[in-house]
Amino acid sequence: MSGRAGRATAGNATAGPAAAEDTARATTRLVSPGNGARLRPCGPGLLSDGERRWPVVAGIPWLRTGRETVRERAVRRMEEGDPDGAALVLLADFDDWWEGPVPSPGALRAALGAATLREAVTLLGMGRVGTYFLHRWSDPTWLAVLALTARHSPGGLPVLELACGAGHLLRELRLRGHRDLTGIDVVFAKLWLARRFVVPRARLVCADVTAPWPLLPPGRPAHVVCHDALYFLPRKEEVVRRALAYADGGGVVLGHCHNSLVPGPVSGLPLDPVGWRALLPGAVCYDDADLTRALLAGTPPRPRTAGELAGCEAMALVSTPTPPPGYGPLSPDRPVPGRPLRPNPLYRDGLLHWPGDRWRDEYGAAARAYLPDRIDLSPALLADARAGRLTPEVTGLARRRVLLDLPERW
């Protein structure tokens, strides 16, 4: 055991007694994706299923299948008391859709000490994915997520988000009082960003949702969501079947499911509306663009029939009945009172600048419906925004994403 054991690292991975305690909290009700056995701590930052060991780095159990070499290397680093080394191994492991280069070891090591989300995504070489994470709070599909969540709230149910990315939705729920939050994603680097910068208190698990899930159901109804990701996944039927079983009578929400009938540069494996509806029979369905417009108008979104969805670019499906209208002060479609708001970083010297050509091409046309080309915010308004005083003007600008509640270390 090296002298590194027992101290916190720049990556928030720990070793020693603190790591064992974090591991125990993070690994409750987990099973091995390899043999289905209950996972139990077997040392600082390590779990065992009786046949093999799995690493827990930065409080995130890493349970990917089909990556034996990666697992063994990370386990070896944890055995040596080198959680930073284990983090470097896992940060270099991307999903099968990734086409970019792997960051250099030097860049990955520098990322462990990154002071901001911006710096971290640059050092991790995340490219367009990093741009998406940094400006997720501004894009029209995010407004659709907020409108859908406001309309179909998890209430007091435990929440599981599939393909949670960097934890944007988990953060919004956490800010509004939800505490039983779990996110699962196949890419460790995304979860590491969530842990460091976006939603430090959520439970995060690195695993492939198209493989057997390592999560045991909570033993009561749950709320399972998957936004802007299911169209990427093969074996969608299995994923939705597992989501329904995990929810156990609670809700299943599938957001921003691309429509294969609409031409355009759509990635992944989209379905047509009939195909999507077949995955979740009896679901309440929405046009994604309608959800965005509903949030901007402050009105409940209207469910759509199969015929009405034929021409939509993307749709959302919800397995729970439509609730009666009810929007409280902590509804996801409104800013949280008392939380500081700041000008959207897309504005420089009061002028709107897109973060890149790809973001502009994908979101720019729809975003122009709520992001003006120029803003002029008075000192008094900025003071109200920083203090979280939700005057009508501040609330309106927050709804239009001119003012944002960003992570402190954005």
Side-chain angles (χ1 to χ4, degrees):
M1 186 73 68
S2 77
R4 298 171 59 88
R7 69 173 179 86
T9 71
N12 278 1
T14 58
E21 183 178 346
D22 287 345
T23 299
R25 283 197 301 266
T27 57
T28 303
R29 303 183 65 80
L30 287 181
V31 295
S32 169
N35 62 11
R38 288 290 291 266
L39 289 171
R40 304 187 185 282
C42 62
L46 291 170
L47 300 172
S48 174
D49 61 15
E51 296 179 359
R52 61 188 66 76
R53 287 176 296 174
W54 305 84
V56 181
V57 180
I60 304 167
W62 188 90
L63 304 173
R64 289 195 66 176
T65 55
R67 294 286 206 277
E68 287 301 295
T69 300
V70 175
R71 180 186 61 79
E72 291 171 358
R73 290 176 60 210
V75 165
R76 190 178 312 119
R77 298 294 183 273
M78 295 305 293
E79 284 181 319
E80 296 168 351
D82 183 10
D84 274 1
L88 295 177
V89 170
L90 302 183
L91 287 171
D93 185 41
F94 292 90
D95 60 30
D96 294 334
W97 292 95
W98 181 247
E99 299 174 348
V102 175
S104 70
L108 290 175
R109 186 166 292 280
L112 295 181
T116 65
L117 181 63
R118 304 187 302 284
E119 182 184 2
V121 299
T122 298
L123 291 167
L124 291 173
M126 285 189 157
R128 66 178 185 275
V129 175
T131 301
Y132 171 82
F133 285 157
L134 288 175
H135 300 286
R136 176 67 167 149
W137 290 276
S138 301
D139 75 50
T141 65
W142 178 243
L143 275 65
V145 170
L146 297 179
L148 191 60
T149 307
R151 187 62 171 149
H152 296 276
S153 167
L157 299 182
V159 175
L160 170 63
E161 184 177 10
L162 309 178
C164 68
H168 295 72
L169 178 58
L170 297 175
R171 176 178 184 266
E172 295 299 320
L173 293 173
R174 178 83 189 181
L175 291 178
R176 288 160 177 81
H178 297 271
R179 292 296 177 264
D180 194 342
L181 302 171
T182 301
I184 183 170
D185 201 283
V186 74
V187 179
F188 177 82
K190 298 177 183 180
L191 298 172
W192 183 83
L193 292 173
R195 172 72 77 231
R196 285 291 305 278
F197 302 105
V198 182
V199 58
R201 302 293 296 277
R203 182 190 189 204
L204 304 172
V205 178
C206 188
D208 185 351
V209 298
T210 66
W213 290 10
L215 297 162
L216 290 174
R220 61 190 180 99
H223 189 82
V224 182
V225 302
C226 182
H227 289 288
D228 206 0
L230 189 58
Y231 62 90
F232 272 109
L233 303 180
R235 300 188 293 278
K236 296 174 177 57
E237 297 86 352
E238 293 180 27
V239 174
V240 175
R241 176 172 48 80
R242 290 178 180 136
L244 288 166
Y246 189 96
D248 191 22
V252 174
V253 178
L254 309 177
H256 197 70
C257 300
H258 284 182
N259 181 1
S260 63
L261 298 180
V262 176
V266 176
S267 301
L269 305 165
L271 303 175
D272 62 21
V274 173
W276 286 118
R277 289 171 67 93
L279 295 180
L280 207 58
V284 178
C285 299
Y286 299 94
D287 181 333
D288 211 65
D290 278 351
L291 291 168
T292 299
R293 287 190 288 266
L295 183 129
L296 291 169
T299 58
R302 182 171 73 85
R304 297 288 184 170
T305 65
E308 292 175 311
L309 292 167
C312 74
E313 292 186 7
M315 60 184 287
L317 306 91
V318 184
S319 70
T320 56
T322 304
Y327 295 83
L330 296 182
S331 176
D333 66 334
R334 301 177 180 182
V336 177
R339 293 277 312 169
L341 299 172
R342 66 176 101 169
N344 190 322
L346 290 178
Y347 289 95
R348 297 198 298 270
D349 297 324
L351 299 178
L352 179 63
H353 294 269
W354 302 126
D357 291 345
R358 187 183 180 99
W359 200 99
R360 178 203 62 205
D361 294 344
E362 186 167 358
Y363 301 122
R368 285 193 180 279
Y370 51 90
L371 290 174
D373 290 334
R374 180 189 298 271
I375 60 172
D376 184 12
L377 306 178
S378 70
L381 185 145
L382 288 172
D384 285 336
R386 285 193 294 267
R389 290 190 289 268
L390 301 184
T391 66
E393 189 174 7
V394 167
T395 301
L397 289 171
R399 186 183 297 280
R400 296 180 63 190
R401 320 314 287 168
V402 173
L403 296 172
L404 298 177
D405 181 352
L406 294 173
E408 181 181 351
R409 293 196 293 155
W410 181 85

